Amino acid sequence: MTVMTEGNIKMNFPQYADVRRFDGPTHRLSHCSMKAIDFIVELTDRVLFIEIKDPQDPQANPNSSNKTIAEFQSGEMDEIFKLKFRDSFIYEWASDNLKKKPIHFYVLIGIETLDKALLLNRTNSLKTKLPVRSVSEGIWKKHIAEECLVFNIETWNQFLPNFLVSRI
């Protein structure tokens, strides 16, 4: 099992998952103002792009946390998520790392009070900003993103029980 942490969130990945931290000094995207998702996970049948935001991290500044929660709930953060996905995709594509597997983009928000209706709303809103299974005809021969979902910790663990998430 591989364990990765982001702030106050711990993610457990099974041994068959090839996990790497993408956001950090090694991706070298910041020189051109590109954004990076937190983790890339390669499975046998797909690649997961995972972004984590945890405004309820006890070490976070309370003023910053409240602002992040408001920005998430209002949809303002969708633009950030869009850029992180798009820039990470371009980087991975240009590095020839995608290996023709479908990409699933998962956003984990560490806000315990979110209900499923708001998570669905945020998912649907983010999908309108990304090319998720949106090309069925025309010049493109494949999808850029197969799936995009927004979770809190509870819904993540229900949907992905082999990739359990918990607070540290």
Side-chain angles (χ1 to χ4, degrees):
M1 178 178 298
T2 302
V3 177
M4 302 294 275
T5 61
E6 180 67 24
N8 192 34
I9 291 182
K10 177 175 79 169
M11 303 184 87
N12 297 291
F13 295 96
Q15 286 186 298
Y16 61 83
D18 181 15
V19 183
R20 64 188 161 104
R21 180 176 299 280
F22 189 64
D23 192 8
T26 59
H27 67 64
R28 298 184 292 243
L29 291 175
S30 58
H31 77 282
C32 58
S33 300
M34 293 179 81
K35 306 284 185 197
I37 57 169
D38 293 310
F39 300 106
I40 295 177
V41 181
E42 186 174 345
L43 304 172
T44 56
D45 61 340
R46 65 190 182 271
V47 175
L48 309 180
F49 279 19
I50 299 173
E51 175 62 20
I52 299 172
K53 288 289 180 214
D54 188 17
Q56 291 185 327
D57 182 343
Q59 297 176 351
N61 176 332
N63 294 331
S64 173
S65 294
N66 292 336
K67 181 180 179 213
T68 302
I69 292 169
E71 288 173 344
F72 173 75
Q73 292 175 325
S74 71
E76 289 177 59
M77 291 192 80
D78 291 353
E79 186 67 20
I80 295 167
F81 298 144
K82 174 186 86 173
L83 293 174
K84 284 179 173 257
F85 175 86
R86 189 180 293 170
D87 293 351
S88 298
F89 175 85
I90 289 169
Y91 183 94
E92 288 295 284
W93 171 81
S95 300
D96 204 21
N97 289 335
L98 294 180
K99 301 178 185 171
K100 299 186 183 200
K101 294 180 182 180
I103 298 171
H104 296 240
F105 181 38
Y106 297 152
V107 176
L108 174 62
I109 300 293
I111 304 173
E112 324 254 310
T113 58
L114 297 176
D115 62 21
K116 290 182 181 180
L118 181 60
L119 292 169
L120 180 60
N121 184 315
R122 296 282 35 94
T123 293
N124 290 336
S125 176
L126 186 54
K127 282 181 178 180
T128 66
K129 297 179 181 340
L130 297 172
V132 178
R133 296 186 56 91
S134 59
V135 181
S136 59
E137 298 177 12
I139 196 164
W140 289 8
K141 303 295 183 212
K142 59 184 178 177
H143 301 297
I144 291 175
E146 186 70 23
E147 179 177 56
C148 170
L149 295 168
V150 179
F151 301 97
N152 63 12
I153 293 173
E154 179 186 357
T155 59
W156 176 282
N157 288 334
Q158 290 170 356
F159 187 78
L160 297 160
N162 293 335
F163 302 82
L164 287 179
V165 171
S166 61
R167 289 212 172 270
I168 297 173

